[in-house]
Amino acid sequence: RPKKKKTGIIKGIQELRETFIFMLENLPLATEGKDQIFITFQGAKSIFEDQPHLQERWNQARSSAMKKGYKITHLIRLDSTFRRRTYELVSGTFQLLKYKDLYEPLCFKNKSILMAPYGLVLALGQEALFTLSTQESHATDAAIYTKEESQVSILAEHFQSLKEQTEQIFSKYETYEQPDFMKVLHDADDESGDRIIITR
């Protein structure tokens, strides 16, 4: 039986979506203090945009990874001209804030979408998936998946250089369950610029 290749080309947007999810769903238990996941999506559209059930699986896969002890660092690029994308990113971030010590969302200081945009999902010490998209489409033109240690290391170094271009989204935050959250909002000082409330 031939050995499975460690590096391969991902073909098809559906296979790409499922690979993103599969990577995180099937990670082994983390080694304390050593295992991290680096994520950056920098395009105008999510690859899950037209399949909300896969978006939910993606959110669950990230939650599953954190339950296994992985810390996720998420670099988020926002652009005011893509309001739907911004909403999706922030909404997805809120779902993960309960993993307070394991989820770190950061925002790029330059909030313009890259052209051509690319994304990176890297399970440090495990595997990496790098994607590249055209300006007008959420369909990925190129995607490379690798488990080669040297290649994963290069992508990790690139991620660290990207991280230097970001800032904290939240200096501090707390999580609330309904209806306590609404009580906190009601009791808070209602000064202009004091907070941003996103509802759906």
Side-chain angles (χ1 to χ4, degrees), residues 82-148:
F82 297 106
R83 294 182 181 178
R84 181 172 177 178
R85 177 64 170 142
T86 298
Y87 175 83
E88 289 174 349
L89 282 166
V90 174
S91 177
T93 296
F94 281 172
Q95 294 184 44
L96 301 175
L97 290 182
K98 60 184 176 182
Y99 301 99
K100 198 169 180 179
D101 299 324
L102 292 175
Y103 182 65
E104 181 183 26
L106 301 169
C107 186
F108 282 97
K109 296 173 185 177
N110 178 357
K111 298 177 176 61
S112 297
I113 298 299
L114 295 180
M115 299 301 175
Y118 64 90
L120 174 64
V121 175
L122 173 66
L124 196 58
Q126 301 288 336
E127 51 198 328
L129 179 58
F130 183 91
T131 69
L132 180 68
S133 303
T134 60
Q135 177 175 344
E136 300 298 331
S137 173
H138 70 279
T140 298
D141 293 308
I144 298 176
Y145 169 80
T146 181
K147 296 184 81 169
E148 287 287 345

Side-chain angles (χ1 to χ4, degrees), residues 4-23 47 121 127-132 139-147:
K4 185 178 180 181
K5 291 182 179 180
K6 291 185 177 181
T7 303
I9 302 300
I10 306 297
K11 295 182 179 179
I13 189 66
Q14 184 64 27
E15 186 175 352
L16 179 65
R17 291 165 171 150
E18 292 173 356
T19 301
F20 272 116
I21 295 168
F22 184 84
M23 279 178 62
I47 65 168
V121 175
E127 51 198 328
L129 179 58
F130 183 91
T131 69
L132 180 68
T140 298
D141 293 308
I144 298 176
Y145 169 80
T146 181
K147 296 184 81 169

